[in-house]
Amino acid sequence: MLLPLLLRPPLCLPQASAVLTRCVRTLRCGAPRGLHSQAKNFLWRWRPQRHQARGRSRKTQSQEEEWRNRNKTALTYIAAAGVGMIGLAYAAVPLYRLYCQATGLGGTAVAGHDTEQVATMTPVKERVIKVTFNADTHASMQWNFRPQQTEIFVVPGETALAFYRAKNPTDKPIIGISTYNVVPFDAGQYFNKIQCFCFEEQRLNPHEEVDMPVFFYIDPEFDNDPRMARVDTITLSYTFFEAKEGQKLPLPGYSYS
């Protein structure tokens, strides 16, 4: 009687429990003790397996939920890092220019000046430096651009004024913007510009011609730097580009191929 019941298809939990209970009662009444013991062991062995399966299912669901939460957090951090890197990429060039102007890195003349220092600095009369001037235009720039003087002589701690001249020979207005550097590069940190036209858009109408001033001085500390001991010539170079949307200006001291 027990064998046909065990060979039947699996039943749901309430039905299986009732069938097995019936089998045990039958075996208690007339079946040998060995068969009764086997049926009882089968009943208790089968029930925990069902409970363990349920427990494993709940545990698996909990782990999957935890993994989903971790993946969401990781994706959030990755997206934030991506946005931050894009922002830094756009800000890198202007920030680098500001850093160069503040420190003189890459042959960039230092922007800005201390008014009190300019008024009180003492010229180093025995140290005469020749400053030469260079002017270039980008291949796509149609202006005529040149320095008004090829060279001047200055001493550290003394202000000086130089001029460049730009002309638009075309029949259309052109907006230009310039970059500059100082050679030798190490001298850039001592070359201070009080006034200049660099990094500012300059609009010239057809056939218009203008003079552009550069007011500067060389810091007296130049004479105390051992690296500048053999430097007696400094070259200030300007390069004009046509200002267009998406135009990339070369960083001071470097050039694009």
Side-chain angles (χ1 to χ4, degrees):
M1 180 178 178
L2 178 62
L3 186 58
L5 290 172
L6 296 177
L7 293 177
R8 291 178 62 183
L11 303 174
C12 62
L13 184 59
Q15 293 174 343
S17 179
V19 171
L20 291 173
T21 303
R22 237 183 280 131
C23 291
V24 172
R25 286 177 182 171
T26 303
L27 290 172
R28 281 179 180 174
C29 295
R33 288 186 178 180
L35 192 58
H36 169 260
S37 177
Q38 291 177 9
K40 188 173 182 180
N41 289 337
F42 172 78
L43 175 63
W44 291 106
R45 192 182 306 151
W46 181 80
R47 283 182 177 176
Q49 289 177 356
R50 299 290 294 180
H51 290 297
Q52 288 175 5
R54 287 182 177 181
R56 288 185 191 133
S57 177
R58 291 173 183 168
K59 186 176 180 180
T60 302
Q61 291 177 356
S62 177
Q63 289 177 345
E64 289 179 352
E65 186 66 26
E66 184 178 356
W67 289 337
R68 288 195 195 97
N69 292 334
R70 288 182 180 179
N71 290 339
K72 289 180 181 178
T73 302
L75 288 173
T76 301
Y77 283 125
I78 292 172
V83 172
M85 291 177 67
I86 293 172
L88 286 175
Y90 277 102
V93 172
L95 288 176
Y96 182 79
R97 285 202 185 107
L98 290 175
Y99 176 74
C100 289
Q101 291 174 4
T103 62
L105 181 66
T108 305
V110 178
H113 62 283
D114 186 341
T115 304
E116 184 177 351
Q117 179 183 357
V118 172
T120 59
M121 62 184 179
T122 303
V124 184
K125 296 292 185 180
E126 64 276 10
R127 185 73 185 273
V128 179
I129 302 169
K130 180 172 70 173
V131 179
T132 62
F133 301 90
N134 182 65
D136 294 300
T137 56
H138 189 262
S140 63
M141 185 59 161
Q142 301 180 56
W143 282 6
N144 296 327
F145 179 56
R146 60 185 176 82
Q148 289 286 75
Q149 62 289 303
T150 57
E151 61 186 37
I152 61 175
F153 292 89
V154 299
V155 299
E158 183 179 75
T159 59
L161 180 65
F163 288 90
Y164 282 80
R165 176 166 292 182
K167 180 179 180 179
N168 176 12
T170 69
D171 295 326
K172 63 179 181 178
I174 297 178
I175 298 176
I177 188 169
S178 67
T179 63
Y180 62 90
N181 69 351
V182 172
V183 179
F185 289 163
D186 289 340
Q189 60 184 309
Y190 300 109
F191 199 102
N192 293 264
K193 294 187 289 71
I194 300 173
Q195 180 185 357
C196 81
F197 49 88
C198 50
F199 297 122
E200 295 181 358
E201 291 187 351
Q202 310 286 336
R203 177 189 173 93
L204 292 186
N205 293 319
H207 306 286
E208 183 180 4
E209 187 174 13
V210 296
D211 288 333
M212 300 178 176
V214 180
F215 192 32
F216 67 94
Y217 68 93
I218 298 175
D219 195 301
E221 291 297 322
F222 176 92
D223 190 50
N224 299 326
D225 191 338
R227 297 174 301 169
M228 303 293 107
R230 297 185 178 181
V231 176
D232 56 9
T233 301
I234 296 176
T235 301
L236 176 64
S237 297
Y238 281 89
T239 302
F240 254 106
F241 299 79
E242 185 174 356
K244 295 180 180 179
E245 186 176 358
Q247 175 76 44
K248 291 183 178 180
L249 294 180
L251 299 175
Y254 300 88
S255 62
Y256 291 99
S257 58

